Amino acid sequence: MDPNLITDLQSAEALSFEAFKTAVINDYKIAFESRQASLLGRKEVLTGKAKFGIFGDGKEVPQVAMAKFFMPGDFCAGYYRDQTFAFATGIATINEFFSQLYADPNPNHDPHSAGRQMNSHFCSPFVDEEGEFLDLANRKNLAAGIAPTAGHMPKAFGLAYASKVYRNVSVLQNETQFSKDGNEVCFATIGDASTSEGHFWETMNAASVSQVPLAVFVWDDGYGISVPKELQTVKASISEALSGFEKSRTSNGIYIYKVKGWDYAQMCEAFEEGITIARNEHTPVLFHVEELTQPQGHSTSGSHERYKTPERLQWEREWDCLPKFRTWILENALASEQEMISLEESSRAYVMQCRQETWKLYDGPIQEQKTKTLQLISELSAHDETGRVEKFYQELLSNTVPFRRDVMSALKKTISILKGKNVTHAVEAYYESLLTESKTLFNSHLYFNEEAPFAVTELPDGLIQHEGPAQNGYEILNKYFDELFAANNKVVAFGEDLGKIGDVNQGFAGLQQKYGTSRIFDTGIRELTIMGQGVGMAMRGLRPIAEIQYLDYLLFGLQILSDDA
């Protein structure tokens, strides 16, 4: 063999190993910083700076592994344990994590929800400020999390189903802003205990029947708050319970992988294989990630020492994914002990710096309000013979970590005590200015594009024929749908009995034959995921018509309509 070629191959191999080593160390760095954010986050709640905290500690290593295979154009519908994934994909920063924990209403500090969501609910924008869709096919996309456990699963199915539509509907092949040949995968994460919800089972059945690129990651730490999985799931194993869903050579279904949440190498291998199948073949996959832990318990609302045995707590300390990852790095000579210590020290300092910077951004405006309020109240205390205004002053003065409501309360109570003495003009003016500011901070953007005026279209003269022939209602609807599908290629329609027979009331009669089974199609009896299917598909630029046969059936889809639509 040519010596130069051997040298080139050796150099390439060395570069490949260096790139691998760098990637692994970076994954550990992200995981370690995420753990430090969780530890500091809990302290912020316990010291009164935040009201509630729920974190992703114990889930860091699986999430840096899954993030390696999350490509531009992909979507993720997750829940409140996914902070490490958000950091690893670049969709969120540690500063934004703390801003959300403090419920900072400034959208420049918390662009995910401006302090309105429970913490650790992240998202990425799908539309610009004018309401026009962004280039979703070239961005990493994270759908907003919602608090109800498993409530995001129907939406995840819709996000995945959109890839099937974009791949199979030929007239959509040029919609490259939204899809590249339907190659996008929807990732969905869920806690093991939440798989007991009906939303999860209906979604898994719908995905298995429809064959869509949905990759579900189940974080299994053995508990749903204090209730062990033996009381949550048949056979105490969601992968065993779902075994009848597994795909074979002669059936549809899903592929199921069981991995250990502390085994970085195993997870990378399994995730790459499963996600590649989902992307290429449009077969849903489920990763049952076992033997995970919760180092700080479920949330700041309680302590897991109350319900876990000393033996279980000791096991969790030994099998915590982060130190196991560290040991694996050292055993494989990817870094030295001193290099790991140096990385950890700098990461701790960085996370602490992020916390301090973020707290100043959040607390600064409130401290300014406090200072001005104290000045205004102090000028009025002499007008109160009861001493109550002075009491309000002292209470606010001694409150080192006030909330906006504490400032507002002190102003309001002062106005109430001195009402009628003609001395509260300045206090009232300041109070009203804070009310106006609060309306902008907390009551705006409740609905999309809420300030835009409704467009009123005047119909041309002669368009409506008052003396026209009488027609059945379904015939009018059928003609409208026909024209709509002809005019807009992004319109799709689905529901029970909607496709082949054209709906029980015949509003779609003959349209499936005209526009194809990929645009007008039947579904199973699953109203919840019909609604979720519509929501997810709309998020990806399609114009779905999700048909529910009768009004009573709509109640099954009420939760998804309430939280996502």
Side-chain angles (χ1 to χ4, degrees), residues 111 172 179 197 212 390 424 547 563:
L172 295 177
S179 178
E197 297 277 11
V212 295
E390 178 63 22
T424 60
E547 197 254 14
D563 284 303

Side-chain angles (χ1 to χ4, degrees), residues 431-487:
Y431 178 76
E432 289 299 323
S433 72
L434 293 183
L435 278 181
T436 301
E437 180 185 65
S438 295
K439 183 177 180 180
T440 300
L441 292 175
F442 303 111
N443 290 354
S444 60
H445 302 289
L446 300 181
Y447 306 98
F448 173 70
N449 208 21
E450 60 185 8
E451 296 180 359
F454 288 103
V456 178
T457 302
E458 295 292 337
L459 295 176
D461 292 337
L463 184 64
I464 300 177
Q465 300 178 15
H466 296 283
E467 304 302 325
Q471 287 185 294
N472 293 309
Y474 79 86
E475 294 176 301
I476 297 171
L477 289 172
N478 186 270
K479 181 175 177 58
Y480 163 73
F481 288 135
D482 190 4
E483 294 184 2
L484 179 64
F485 273 80

Side-chain angles (χ1 to χ4, degrees), residues 489-561:
N489 292 330
K490 294 180 184 177
V491 176
V492 295
F494 49 90
E496 299 157 16
D497 302 301
L498 186 85
K500 187 173 183 178
I501 68 170
D503 180 35
V504 292
N505 294 310
Q506 295 298 284
F508 283 85
L511 298 185
Q512 186 185 71
Q513 292 86 337
K514 186 172 183 179
Y515 296 102
T517 57
S518 293
R519 292 185 67 191
I520 301 175
F521 51 91
D522 290 314
T523 70
I525 300 177
R526 49 174 183 81
E527 288 82 9
L528 174 65
T529 46
I530 289 174
M531 290 294 98
Q533 194 169 348
V535 169
M537 292 168 73
M539 287 180 171
R540 293 194 55 189
L542 296 170
R543 303 294 288 173
I545 300 172
E547 197 254 14
I548 302 296
Q549 273 187 359
Y550 297 105
L551 184 61
D552 288 355
Y553 301 174
L554 188 61
L555 295 177
F556 285 110
L558 192 59
Q559 184 270 320
I560 188 75
L561 290 172

Side-chain angles (χ1 to χ4, degrees), residues 13-26:
E13 185 176 346
L15 288 172
S16 178
F17 178 73
E18 285 302 313
F20 166 73
K21 184 168 72 171
T22 300
V24 171
I25 298 303
N26 186 61

Side-chain angles (χ1 to χ4, degrees), residues 29 32-33 339-353:
K29 181 175 181 288
F32 187 85
E33 288 176 352
E339 287 172 330
M340 296 298 286
I341 292 173
S342 177
L343 180 151
E344 291 163 353
E345 288 177 350
S346 63
S347 292
R348 284 193 189 93
Y350 171 68
V351 175
M352 179 64 75
Q353 179 185 349

